[in-house]
Amino acid sequence: MSNYHTPVMLAECIEALNIKPNGTYVDVTFGGGGHSREIIKHLGVDGQLLAFDQDADAQQNAIDDERFIFIDQNFRYLKNFTRLHDAIPVDGILADLGVSSYQFDQAERGFSIRFDAELDMRMNQASDLSAKEVVNTYSEADLHRIFGMYGEVQNAKSLAKTIVTARLNGPIVTVADLKNAISNITPRGKENKYLAQVFQALRIEVNQELEALKDFLIQSAEVLATGGRLVVMSYHSLEDRLVKNFIAKGKFSGEVEKDLYGNNNRPFDAVSRGAIIASDEEILNNNRARSAKLRIAVKK
């Protein structure tokens, strides 16, 4: 686990789950297993923990404990696999969204602007769609859409046009190829921030991250027991907005729906007022905590 990131807001996440020793819990983003190991410490002999991770590398961190079940799947299949393991209803679900430090540090995975490698960015290595495919085969209109929506890139239209023009001279295969292709429209003095936005957009598209998050949130309401806790930590505004809206309204946009009696038709109540953020001390010791927002909800 040493190659994986230090879990962000670990104490806050564990407290938020309100763990019952004989309860059933799900860590849908297992990664290095930091959160899972802490959850298991709070479980008694009858407790159970299921952990999801679609990245094959995460399996090497599986916990040797009869109360632990590792599921090598994307969390968008939460309901299917908790049902398969006869675990419904569960008492708490934890999601720590985004890419792990380990994935960023594996140069060959192509997640990071720091290394030159093939444009990959697949969290699930068995998936067909890679960043190289997106960059070389998507239409200009589709590239414009993903850079604007997922990367919130200011010059998304120019960026899309530049990539489509550049690939006429040959495929854009590596991180360096992409950087070179867009160097003329990369803002001077803001290169790292701009490239991070471009890479974020590609990564979200490759892994269908926002669609997977929506699927997961809808299913979490179906899988959790009444009084069960949903604990979600996000690292950028697109994810946080979806989580915030779903907790507040039971949907991702529009107004909250009401039943015939005027009661709010939503499955969760927020436990915390607004998002919880990391302490200054934690941010100092763990830079990843800087952009983290933690939201907690209880199933009605």
Side-chain angles (χ1 to χ4, degrees):
M1 182 196 151
S2 58
N3 292 327
Y4 279 77
H5 63 258
T6 304
V8 173
M9 289 194 268
L10 180 59
E12 290 89 337
C13 288
I14 299 303
E15 182 182 347
L17 282 170
N18 196 27
I19 298 170
K20 298 187 291 191
N22 64 342
T24 298
Y25 294 86
V26 188
D27 178 354
V28 298
T29 48
F30 179 69
H35 286 110
S36 281
R37 284 181 171 78
E38 196 62 32
I39 292 169
I40 276 196
K41 288 180 189 175
H42 291 73
L43 293 178
V45 291
D46 296 325
Q48 186 179 36
L49 174 63
L50 288 76
F52 284 70
D53 206 300
Q54 63 182 331
D55 190 335
D57 284 349
Q59 292 190 46
Q60 67 192 2
N61 303 312
I63 302 167
D64 184 14
D65 190 303
E66 60 186 20
R67 297 167 296 176
F68 177 80
I69 297 169
F70 183 83
I71 299 166
D72 59 342
Q73 292 287 339
N74 187 301
F75 61 31
R76 72 190 309 170
Y77 304 116
L78 171 70
K79 188 175 179 182
N80 282 352
F81 284 90
T82 46
R83 184 194 286 127
L84 182 68
H85 290 280
D86 199 24
I88 297 175
V90 306
D91 299 291
I93 301 172
L94 171 67
D96 180 4
L97 305 173
V99 182
S100 73
S101 302
Y102 174 79
Q103 288 169 323
F104 270 122
D105 291 342
Q106 297 294 297
E108 69 276 8
R109 300 292 294 272
F111 282 109
S112 176
I113 61 175
R114 290 179 291 139
F115 311 112
D116 189 26
E118 189 165 299
L119 286 165
D120 189 335
M121 303 194 199
R122 292 172 299 165
M123 290 182 185
N124 178 357
Q125 292 282 274
S127 171
D128 292 329
L129 185 64
S130 69
K132 184 175 70 173
E133 294 293 315
V134 173
V135 166
N136 287 288
T137 67
Y138 274 36
S139 69
E140 186 176 326
D142 282 338
L143 288 172
H144 178 199
R145 174 182 58 81
I146 67 165
F147 289 129
M149 280 178 55
Y150 300 158
E152 297 176 298
V153 176
Q154 290 293 321
N155 62 350
K157 192 169 186 178
S158 303
L159 174 61
K161 187 177 184 63
T162 300
I163 288 173
V164 170
T165 303
R167 72 192 190 194
L168 294 173
N169 298 319
I172 299 168
V173 176
T174 66
V175 171
D177 289 346
L178 180 56
K179 284 183 180 177
N180 291 334
I182 65 175
S183 60
N184 287 340
I185 62 163
T186 302
R188 299 293 167 257
K190 298 180 180 177
E191 290 88 351
N192 284 350
K193 182 183 179 185
Y194 182 79
L195 290 169
Q197 289 175 300
V198 171
F199 273 53
Q200 173 180 293
L202 290 171
R203 194 197 77 223
I204 289 173
E205 176 66 17
V206 166
N207 298 289
Q208 295 292 297
E209 290 177 34
L210 299 184
E211 294 309 313
L213 177 57
K214 288 179 184 177
D215 289 349
F216 157 69
L217 289 169
I218 291 166
Q219 291 171 42
S220 69
E222 299 168 356
V223 165
L224 274 164
T226 300
R229 295 290 185 97
L230 174 67
V231 181
V232 184
M233 190 149 49
S234 58
Y235 296 87
H236 61 73
S237 59
L238 299 174
E239 290 174 334
D240 182 57
R241 198 175 302 134
L242 290 178
V243 176
K244 177 183 177 181
N245 284 344
F246 190 72
I247 290 172
K249 306 172 185 176
K251 52 199 246 185
F252 302 108
S253 61
E255 296 303 312
V256 64
E257 292 173 0
K258 296 182 183 288
D259 64 17
L260 292 171
Y261 304 100
N263 300 310
N264 287 339
N265 229 352
R266 60 169 198 256
F268 289 106
D269 282 327
V271 171
S272 55
R273 280 194 66 183
I276 296 167
I277 58 173
S279 67
D280 291 342
E281 183 182 0
E282 180 171 4
I283 292 168
L284 198 63
N285 294 319
N286 185 1
N287 186 53
R288 193 168 184 268
R290 180 174 42 86
S291 56
K293 287 189 174 179
L294 181 67
R295 294 190 185 272
I296 310 161
V298 62
K299 170 75 181 297
K300 297 204 297 190

